Amino acid sequence: MLLLLLLQISGSCLWLGRGEVVTSFEHSCPQFFFKETPPNEALEPNSPARICQRYKNKYYFATLYDRDRRIPVYSAYLYQPGSGKRPKTWMVEPQLMGSVYPSAMMREWVLENYYNVTLGQISKSQAVLVDYKNLTGLNRGHLNPSGHHADNSSRTATFTLTNIVPQNEKLNGGAWKNYEQQIMIKKTQGCATTYVIVGAVPGNNYIAGGRVNKPSHLWAGVCCEMGSNEELKAWAVIAENDRNDVQLIPLGDLEEALTELYGRDRVSLFDRDCPRD
């Protein structure tokens, strides 16, 4: 067992600098952002973690994670829907405990049994499964939904606890589901490449004994490249997390709303070439 552990940790060290928790999205997984430009720092929490979400030796999306509130600030991905089953296995991010741990997401029990870590160590800076048990009126709400991906591996990669927030169950199964499954299909007609950023605004309430923040709002911004003529279009949605209602708005209106909600510098979600009106 000790030899196995040493080999696994040694192997993970070979990926330092390319590991899951990175210092810069631009240098590690820029492909998930329009013109390789992540949102500006106006959304950044006090204790951020930039995660290039890695599964089976491949990056599938990027997440800015709030270690203190134990929720994602946003997840960025390419919209590439396809057929397939919804996964059921939830995973966590080992490198939130330190860079010596594997760069790929994995299940809690694997870390506990093969890497000699405790659930307490895992849960120090991220949510764990027990945090989302016995919820009342809330669901585990994906930011980056599995249904927006084309195959089993990419769908499974979305089932990391760093990609979910406590979401109102009526919103999750109602208006937000309609946005994910209906609005996106209609709005992306003619899009060759669709860049999506979905985020959560921290709220004043918590679950799991104060461990995991319940967001006040959920939002999404989309920038679409239209075929070969270099035409661009954009749109956005925002929803209060205690109401079953989603507003479809221009991207510029979303950035203004987030600027007001965060009360910091002006928010910019995409490169300036993405249309705001």
Side-chain angles (χ1 to χ4, degrees), residues 7-247:
L7 288 172
Q8 288 169 320
I9 292 179
S10 175
S12 72
C13 288
L14 295 176
W15 293 101
L16 293 181
R18 290 188 58 199
E20 188 167 56
V21 177
V22 301
T23 57
S24 166
F25 287 138
E26 293 95 328
H27 293 151
S28 300
C29 53
Q31 65 269 32
F32 303 114
F33 302 95
F34 174 63
K35 290 198 170 181
E36 301 188 349
T37 304
N40 66 353
E41 295 181 354
L43 301 179
E44 191 157 314
N46 290 330
S47 183
R50 288 171 176 80
I51 307 172
C52 293
Q53 301 281 11
R54 190 183 187 92
Y55 179 67
K56 290 188 175 180
N57 206 34
K58 181 178 179 180
Y59 293 145
Y60 285 101
F61 62 105
T63 298
L64 179 63
Y65 193 72
D66 187 335
R67 296 172 182 265
D68 294 334
R69 296 184 177 96
R70 298 181 179 87
I71 59 169
V73 178
Y74 62 73
S75 288
Y77 61 96
L78 298 176
Y79 177 73
Q80 298 171 320
S83 60
K85 295 182 179 179
R86 179 181 171 88
K88 296 181 180 180
T89 299
W90 290 96
M91 293 176 284
V92 293
E93 308 299 338
Q95 287 201 341
L96 286 175
M97 294 185 295
S99 60
V100 297
Y101 293 98
S103 60
M105 60 183 71
M106 61 180 57
R107 299 176 72 174
E108 290 174 11
W109 68 266
V110 174
L111 282 170
E112 291 178 293
N113 287 295
Y114 292 99
Y115 290 87
N116 196 32
V117 299
T118 65
L119 186 60
Q121 288 174 282
I122 300 171
S123 66
K124 188 175 180 180
S125 60
Q126 64 185 299
V128 291
L129 276 171
V130 69
D131 292 326
Y132 282 89
K133 286 190 175 181
N134 303 316
L135 296 178
T136 301
L138 297 169
N139 289 151
R140 289 177 286 202
H142 281 74
L143 294 192
N144 176 3
S146 64
H148 284 188
H149 296 274
D151 55 41
N152 288 336
S153 290
S154 56
R155 285 171 174 247
T156 300
T158 68
F159 271 68
T160 168
L161 293 175
T162 54
N163 181 46
I164 65 168
V165 297
Q167 185 176 12
N168 180 284
E169 63 179 358
K170 292 182 179 179
L171 174 63
N172 191 27
W176 195 259
K177 181 179 180 180
N178 182 64
Y179 146 69
E180 291 179 339
Q181 298 186 2
Q182 304 299 325
I183 293 176
M184 282 294 290
I185 291 175
K186 293 177 182 178
K187 296 290 289 184
T188 55
Q189 294 298 312
C191 294
T193 305
T194 304
Y195 298 89
V196 186
I197 301 176
V198 185
V201 180
N204 296 321
N205 299 311
Y206 285 76
I207 66 168
R211 280 182 39 81
V212 179
N213 186 265
K214 176 191 171 186
S216 64
H217 296 72
L218 298 174
W219 56 267
V222 184
C223 192
C224 155
E225 295 179 334
M226 303 283 291
S228 59
N229 59 4
E230 297 185 0
E231 181 183 352
L232 299 169
K233 68 176 182 178
W235 63 90
V237 295
I238 190 168
E240 295 180 37
N241 198 17
D242 58 1
R243 297 180 58 199
N244 184 22
D245 181 61
V246 171
Q247 299 179 55

